Amino acid sequence: MKAVRVVLVAVAATVSVGCSSGSGDGDDGAASCAYVVEYENRTYLGRGETDIPVEDALGTATKPACDDTPDDDSDGETAPTSLTAYAVQGVDPSVAIAVGEAPGDVRLALVDTLKKLPPEVKKVIDAS
């Protein structure tokens, strides 16, 4: 019976990855998809930092389609979204990019394979 509980806990943890519930600030508490973008055959995970010093536009990043409630019998999947990828000042784009509609309206995104924050990314985050 103990092994069954361990498996159930592992399954529950796996299912919850990539979703977050409401923040308690007036939203309805529905789950939402993780902020993920794809650029140059790499996957980046969005962070909360938005006051990021950017350099030149690099090209187009894609925020994949998302269905945050797959079992609700509706076609709730959003379409993929194209965003502009910008170089983050002092950071190699293979590590981090900024994505958004315009240079003054961006969000930091880190490549999903990072094990720990490189010093140049920490510097950008601390300054934001």
Side-chain angles (χ1 to χ4, degrees), residues 7-55:
V7 170
L8 290 176
V9 169
V11 169
T14 301
V15 170
S16 68
V17 171
C19 293
S20 62
S21 61
S23 62
D25 57 354
D27 62 8
D28 65 359
S32 62
C33 296
Y35 195 93
V36 175
V37 293
E38 296 167 352
Y39 173 72
E40 293 281 308
N41 298 316
R42 289 184 291 270
T43 301
Y44 294 81
L45 304 176
R47 293 186 42 108
E49 293 84 7
T50 57
D51 188 20
I52 303 301
V54 298
E55 295 177 346

Side-chain angles (χ1 to χ4, degrees), residues 44-84:
Y44 294 81
L45 304 176
R47 293 186 42 108
E49 293 84 7
T50 57
D51 188 20
I52 303 301
V54 298
E55 295 177 346
D56 297 329
L58 299 170
T60 301
T62 303
K63 189 170 187 294
C66 168
D67 184 0
D68 62 356
T69 51
D71 295 328
D72 68 351
D73 294 331
S74 74
D75 187 19
E77 186 167 310
T78 62
T81 306
S82 292
L83 300 164
T84 302

